[in-house]
C-alpha cells in the first residue's frame, strides 16, 4: 500500500462535513443517543468521504455495493483502523470478494447467504436484516422468519450480534412502530445490537432503542445519481 495513493479531502469539503457532523451529534444528543455507534455511509461518494469520516474519528464505514466497498477498502492501509459494514442487498457471488474487508455483515436476510458468508469468513459477525414495514421492495426477512433464521445462522457458526432494519419510505414517524417491533424482537431473542435509523429518522430510531445508526446524506450531502437501478438502496428518492 503506497502512501502516495492515500485519499485526500478538499479542505472546504472537510469543513462542511465537520459542520454536518456537529449537527448530527447535536441531534443524537437531544434524542438521548450520544453513545450510539454511528456508521458513516459513504456509498455513492468517492474515497474522500471515507477519509473525511476517518479524520472525524468515524471509523465505522457503511457501503451498499460490493465493488465500491472493495475499491475504497483497498485505498486505505490497515493502520487506518476502518471497520467496513456491508449494509446493502447482498448477492451470494459477491461474498467471497467482500469477506477479507467486512467487519459486520448487516444485511443478512436468508440462510443461503449466511452459508456463503460462513464459508468465506467462518465465525463472522452478522446482523439479520428485518423487513419490519412489510414493503415488498425492501430487503430483509419477515418478522416471523427472524427467529428460525437466527437459529440457522448460529448453527452455521456465525456470530449473530443483532437486528438491522430500514425505516419505511415516508415521514420519520412512520418508522416508529416498525422499529419498536424490531427492538422487541431483539429483546426477545437476546440480541444486543439494533441497527436502525438513517439521516431522516435517527431520532425515532434512538427513541425506540437503536444501538447503531447509519448516516449518509446528513454527513456527506446528497449522493450523485446512480445509473444502475439494480443497485437501488430500496429508498425511492
Ligand atoms: C443509504 C443507506 C443509509 C444511509 O442513508 P441516508 O439517508 O443517506 O442517511 C443507511 N442504511 C442503508 C441500508 C442505506 O442503504
Amino acid at each position: 500500500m503506497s502512501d502516495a495513493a492515500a485519499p485526500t479531502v478538499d479542505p472546504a469539503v472537510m469543513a462542511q462535513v465537520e459542520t454536518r457532523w456537529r449537527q448530527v451529534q447535536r441531534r443524537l444528543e437531544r434524542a438521548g443517543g450520544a453513545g450510539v455507534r454511528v456508521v458513516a455511509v459513504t456509498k455513492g461518494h468517492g474515497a474522500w468521504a471515507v477519509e473525511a469520516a476517518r479524520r472525524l474519528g468515524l471509523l465505522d464505514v457503511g457501503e451498499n455495493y460490493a465493488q465500491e466497498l472493495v475499491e475504497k477498502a483497498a485505498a486505505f492501509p490497515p493502520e487506518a483502523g476502518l471497520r467496513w459494514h456491508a449494509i446493502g442487498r447482498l448477492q451470494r457471488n459477491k461474498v467471497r470478494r467482500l469477506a477479507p474487508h467486512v467487519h459486520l455483515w448487516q444485511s443478512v436476510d436468508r440462510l443461503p447467504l449466511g452459508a456463503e458468508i460462513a464459508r468465506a469468513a467462518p465465525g463472522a459477525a452478522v446482523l439479520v436484516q428485518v423487513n419490519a414495514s412489510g414493503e415488498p421492495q425492501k430487503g430483509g426477512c419477515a418478522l416471523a422468519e427472524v427467529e428460525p433464521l437466527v437459529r440457522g445462522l448460529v448453527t452455521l457458526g456465525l456470530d449473530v450480534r443483532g437486528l438491522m432494519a430500514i425505516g419505511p419510505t415516508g415521514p420519520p414517524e412512520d418508522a416508529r412502530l416498525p422499529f419498536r417491533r424490531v427492538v422487541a424482537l431483539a429483546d426477545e431473542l437476546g440480541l444486543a445490537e439494533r441497527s436502525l435509523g438513517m439521516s431522516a429518522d435517527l431520532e425515532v430510531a434512538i427513541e425506540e432503542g437503536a444501538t447503531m445508526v447509519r448516516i449518509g446524506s446528513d454527513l456527506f450531502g446528497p449522493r450523485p445519481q446512480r445509473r444502475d437501478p439494480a443497485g437501488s438502496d430500496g429508498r425511492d428518492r
Side-chain angles (χ1 to χ4, degrees), residues 40-189:
V41 177
T42 50
K43 68 164 181 233
H45 295 294
W48 66 263
V50 181
E51 175 60 10
R54 192 192 65 79
R55 289 192 198 174
L56 294 172
L58 293 166
L59 299 180
D60 289 283
V61 179
E63 282 287 341
N64 284 55
Y65 311 105
Q67 176 80 4
E68 256 188 275
L69 191 155
V70 169
E71 279 173 11
K72 287 178 193 162
F76 291 86
E79 308 86 79
L82 296 167
R83 296 179 289 266
W84 295 91
H85 296 245
I87 63 170
R89 222 166 253 201
L90 275 169
Q91 288 163 290
R92 273 194 288 170
N93 62 6
K94 302 285 168 62
V95 165
R96 193 157 285 280
R97 281 188 67 213
L98 285 168
H101 307 290
V102 174
H103 165 77
L104 181 60
W105 305 81
Q106 292 212 10
S107 46
V108 179
D109 59 0
R110 56 200 193 279
L111 200 59
L113 174 61
E116 193 65 39
I117 294 171
R119 259 193 298 278
V126 303
L127 303 182
V128 166
Q129 184 179 349
V130 188
N131 184 345
S133 61
E135 291 166 290
Q137 76 276 22
K138 293 268 163 71
C141 76
L143 280 158
E145 292 163 14
V146 171
E147 188 181 0
L149 178 55
V150 167
R151 237 185 286 121
L153 295 170
V154 168
T155 302
L156 289 166
L158 293 170
D159 177 10
V160 183
R161 297 273 174 88
L163 305 181
M164 181 272 233
I166 301 176
T169 309
E173 202 50 44
D174 289 3
R176 190 174 297 281
L177 227 55
F179 286 169
R180 191 170 294 175
R181 289 196 194 103
V182 172
V183 169
L185 187 53
D187 283 343
E188 214 178 292
L189 299 174

Side-chain angles (χ1 to χ4, degrees), residues 41 43 64 87-88 129 164 166 197-200 214-218 223 233 235 237:
V41 177
K43 68 164 181 233
N64 284 55
I87 63 170
Q129 184 179 349
M164 181 272 233
I166 301 176
M198 316 187 0
S199 292
R214 310 174 307 268
I215 311 295
S217 36
D218 281 3
R223 284 178 284 275
D233 64 7
R235 288 215 149 192
R237 49 158 130 136

Side-chain angles (χ1 to χ4, degrees), residues 21-40:
W21 170 227
R22 277 198 297 271
Q23 284 162 357
V24 168
Q25 277 179 307
R26 268 199 298 277
R27 289 172 61 196
L28 291 170
E29 278 160 27
R30 253 186 263 128
V36 303
R37 181 139 59 133
V38 174
V39 176

